[in-house]
DNA sequence: CCATGTGAAAACTTTCACAGCG
DNA sequence: CGCTGTGAAAGTTTTCACATGG
């Protein structure tokens, strides 16, 4: 039987929004906001209030009819969805070029319990030093360190084609999930999640949307010019 | 009436994949591959061949029945979808912290015609210098420079709450699209596309998928243990 | 014969609309 | 009375299955 709810079918897009709700909730909490409605949260994020309610309802009933959601409680609930209580996530970064260093320097993920405990690089000048207080090891030591430190998340920030070999090493060392910044598709062999973030792809997408928006604007202008009388 | 094709309804997910097809095609071209089938391309990207065919077919008929797609031609066709011929995209970056610098240093977007022509920062020590050959201006000069240089794309890489003011300035200066790396929702006022890339959100998402994958694995193990005979 | 391109079905996601509770 | 939570409808994306053409 097990605890499998049939209702628990969580959309991919829902997960992405849940993270954003969490970000908003933190900011609201800091502003001292105590309670909020789905409509208010929706407005902050430019989505619809139904969407907010559905997203939240897919994890439980966190709201009160008539008054909305309690900010403090909702924050805890949403945090639990991502962090299962107050679990900490040990991370390592592979490739300490400019992107890798920027990721190490970013303090944004600290508050969700993510923590870098190791970095890896091929450059002998970097190995043995610390970057942002995180020790840099040689790539050869990757498997040993990941296993010994029980690292959960591997962040791949190497330039390109070496990404797959790195991913394989991480898998062999028992990594639980991978964040891949290399422009390379990585197939997940077992059931270990791999999330790809390709910055250059975002530029491509944007250029497409710019063109489409401008074409649309042009078309609309043409239509106004063509028919000077409204239907 | 106008030239609006009813068939031209391009899915958001299709755009994301088109960029990845382009990346694959470039790599195949460099390897000297001359022709490929939808199945081969699909395998490279871990998607289905139907999906590849639908995606490509939504922009035109690029394939030959029986033999597949010509790599050289397909690359040009897909490039045209993103770049409309050989158009160049002038970009600027706002915020030259570690992430901003990493973005300036990345050579990955060069081949698609994106080029940084200006950077902006508040730090007086940086203003007037060049980072990766790109001149750094004061934020006060943002509007003037964007307008004068006719910059198309603004990349926001400032820490947090200042992102909205930057976005407004970029809009006022006539920017055509924005890539937002700040953890802040930016509402697009007119029809100017804004794409958000929040690195810390990716960590959150990954932690959710890790938990779900591990719960699922556990459940499956339990089921095997519980019923030693298959149904 | 092989692989594309595409109707039609299935699966998934969002929006509508409202019952029901505080 | 206001706002949540949720069936049902509408809309979107993926998959199936196959006619069609090189």
């Amino acid at each position: 039987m097990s605890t499998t709810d049939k209702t628990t079918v969580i959309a991919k897009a829902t997960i992405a929004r849940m993270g954003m709700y969490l970000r908003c909730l933190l900011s609201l909490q800091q502003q001292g906001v105590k309670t909020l409605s789905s409509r208010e949260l929706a407005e902050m994020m430019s989505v619809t209030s139904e969407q907010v309610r559905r997203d939240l309802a897919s994890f439980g009933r966190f709201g009160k009819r008539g008054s909305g959601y309690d900010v403090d409680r909702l924050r805890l609930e949403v945090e639990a969805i991502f962090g299962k209580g107050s679990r900490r996530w040990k991370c390592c970064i592979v490739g300490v070029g400019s992107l890798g260093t920027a990721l190490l320097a970013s303090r944004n993920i600290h508050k969700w319990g993510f923590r870098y405990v190791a970095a890896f690089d091929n450059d002998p000048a970097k190995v043995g030093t610390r970057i942002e207080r995180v020790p840099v090891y040689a790539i050869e030591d990757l498997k040993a360190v990941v296993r010994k430190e029980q690292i959960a998340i591997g962040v791949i920030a190497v330039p390109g084609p070496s990404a797959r070999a790195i991913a394989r090493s991480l898998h062999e060392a028992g990594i639980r999930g991978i964040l891949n910044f290399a422009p390379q598709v990585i197939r997940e062999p077992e059931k270990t999640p791999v999330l790809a973030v390709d910055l250059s792809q975002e530029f491509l997408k944007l250029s497409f949307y710019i063109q489409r928006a401008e074409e649309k604007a042009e078309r609309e202008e043409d239509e106004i010019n063509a028919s000077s009388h409204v239907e």
Side-chain angles (χ1 to χ4, degrees), chain A:
Chain A
M1 211 103 285
S2 86
T3 48
T4 319
D5 271 14
K6 235 214 214 121
T7 51
T8 312
V9 192
I10 287 137
K12 221 176 83 178
T14 295
I15 301 305
R17 283 192 300 265
M18 293 303 290
M20 307 247 288
Y21 298 149
L22 187 47
R23 200 175 67 192
C24 290
L25 287 167
L26 208 69
S27 148
L28 288 163
Q29 219 176 16
Q30 282 165 353
Q31 290 172 239
V33 178
K34 283 297 168 203
T35 187
L36 93 165
S37 68
S38 58
R39 198 172 35 67
E40 292 169 304
L41 187 49
E43 229 157 69
M44 286 183 73
M45 290 193 26
S46 299
V47 297
T48 67
S49 59
E50 298 88 324
Q51 204 153 49
V52 171
R53 292 202 299 279
R54 266 252 194 263
D55 287 341
L56 296 177
S58 65
F59 291 99
R61 294 184 198 188
F62 306 136
K64 277 192 183 49
R65 297 179 186 217
S67 63
Y69 301 87
D70 178 85
V71 174
D72 292 350
R73 183 191 165 200
L74 191 57
R75 184 204 154 164
L76 288 173
E77 296 282 9
V78 178
E79 251 173 18
I81 289 160
F82 287 109
K84 267 284 170 62
S86 55
R87 195 198 276 183
R88 311 251 124 206
W89 298 92
K90 280 188 175 186
C91 307
C92 71
I93 193 147
V94 190
V96 203
S98 53
L99 180 59
T101 307
L103 288 166
L104 281 174
S106 162
R107 292 262 132 323
N108 284 320
I109 59 175
H110 255 228
K111 56 178 167 297
W112 318 124
F114 300 93
R115 199 159 41 100
Y116 289 108
V117 298
F120 301 93
D121 205 289
N122 263 332
D123 185 348
K126 286 174 184 161
V127 173
T129 67
R130 281 170 178 260
I131 298 182
E132 300 284 331
R133 307 189 171 198
V134 177
V136 182
Y137 303 95
I139 302 268
E140 295 94 72
D141 301 330
L142 193 150
K143 275 198 248 183
V145 174
V146 168
R147 220 170 264 158
K148 182 162 175 237
E149 293 266 11
Q150 298 260 35
I151 293 171
I153 291 174
V155 179
I156 299 180
V158 294
S162 40
R164 285 186 182 180
I166 302 287
R168 193 161 40 249
S169 295
L170 287 168
H171 277 126
E172 284 168 10
I175 207 83
R176 292 163 62 201
I178 290 178
L179 215 50
N180 176 33
F181 287 89
Q184 263 287 338
V185 176
I186 287 175
R187 261 266 226 325
E188 49 232 83
E190 321 135 58
K191 291 301 169 205
T192 307
V194 176
L195 241 62
V197 185
D198 186 332
L199 303 181
S200 62
Q201 293 286 313
E202 302 299 325
F203 282 83
L204 276 181
K205 281 195 264 174
L206 182 61
S207 68
F208 177 83
Y209 290 123
I210 288 174
Q211 286 176 201
R212 193 159 72 171
E214 290 174 359
E215 274 165 26
K216 196 189 153 204
E218 224 171 275
R219 258 203 310 281
E220 277 166 12
E221 220 170 88
D222 284 359
E223 264 161 47
I224 290 164
N225 287 0
S227 67
S228 43
H229 37 246
V230 196
E231 200 227 320

